[in-house]
Amino acid sequence: MTEQAYEPYAPLNTLKPFAEDIWIVDGPEIRMNYLGLRIPFPTRMTVVRLPDGSLWIHSPIAWNDDLGCALAELGPVRHIVAPNTLHYWYVPDWHERFPEARTYGPADLQKRARRKLQIDETLTESAPLAWQDAFEQCLFPGTILTEIAFLHRPSATLILTDLIENFEPERIRRRLLRWAIRLAGPTHPDGKAPFDMRWNFIGRGDAVRAASRRLVEWAPERIVFAHGRCYESNGLAELKRAFRWAL
C-alpha cells in the first residue's frame, strides 16, 4: 500500500456531528492530475438532514458500504450534490446506490465531466424548492472551476468545497508537498483559496467580490469545507480573513 501523504482525520468513512442536523465524513485520499503530476488530496463530504427528514449529500466521497448503512439509519438519501466542477467524481456511484435521489451540479458540468454523469438540476443563485427552507446558496463563477456555496440557515453553517482550504502543516507527511502547499497559500492558521484558484477568477472580479460580500452578510458561525481543518466557531472572522483577497 502506498504511504498516505497526510495524517488522516480518523476515523474515516464515519459520520461525525458538526452542527445540528449536519455531519461531516472524512474519506480516503485521492490523486488528482494537475500539470502532469498526481497530487494527493484528503477528501470530505457533508451530510445535512433536511426538515422533511431526507438527507442532502454534499461532495460525496468514495462509496463505502458501512457508511451507506449508517446513512440509512439517519434518513432517506434524496439529494446528491456536486458543488463545483471538480468535486463530482463519485456522484454516479452514489446515485447507483440511491437511484431515487436527484443529482445537482453547476452549469455545463455534465458536458465537462470526465466520466458519464447525470445531473437532474443545475445549481444557480436560487436554492431548489426541495431545500429552500433550509439553505441559501451563492454562485462563484470561474473560468475552470465554478463553485456554489451553501448556508445552512438553522445552524448558521457555511458549507464550502475549495473556496477555503486549510491544510495543517503537521499533518502533511511529505516535506516537498508541505513546502508546495505553503507556497500555494492554503495552510492553517491562514487557510484560504490557493493561488491557482484565485487566478481562476481573474476577469470576474466584480461577480466574485459580490458573492464574497454575500457570504459575509450571512455571518456564519461555523464553516466546513473539503480539505483541511474546518472552523467550528468564529466563522465570520475566519471568513473575512480567508476572503480578504476577494473583498
Side-chain angles (χ1 to χ4, degrees), residues 2 10 26 29 75 82 95 104 122 149 159 170 188 196 203 216 224 239 246:
T2 303
D26 290 291
E29 285 185 17
H95 196 214
Y104 306 80
T122 297
I159 302 174
E170 64 272 19
H188 181 74
D196 58 336
V216 169
V224 60
L239 180 66

Side-chain angles (χ1 to χ4, degrees), residues 115-128:
R115 67 177 299 189
K116 188 176 180 180
L117 181 71
Q118 173 183 323
I119 295 296
D120 296 317
E121 188 167 345
T122 297
L123 294 170
T124 67
E125 289 282 346
S126 301

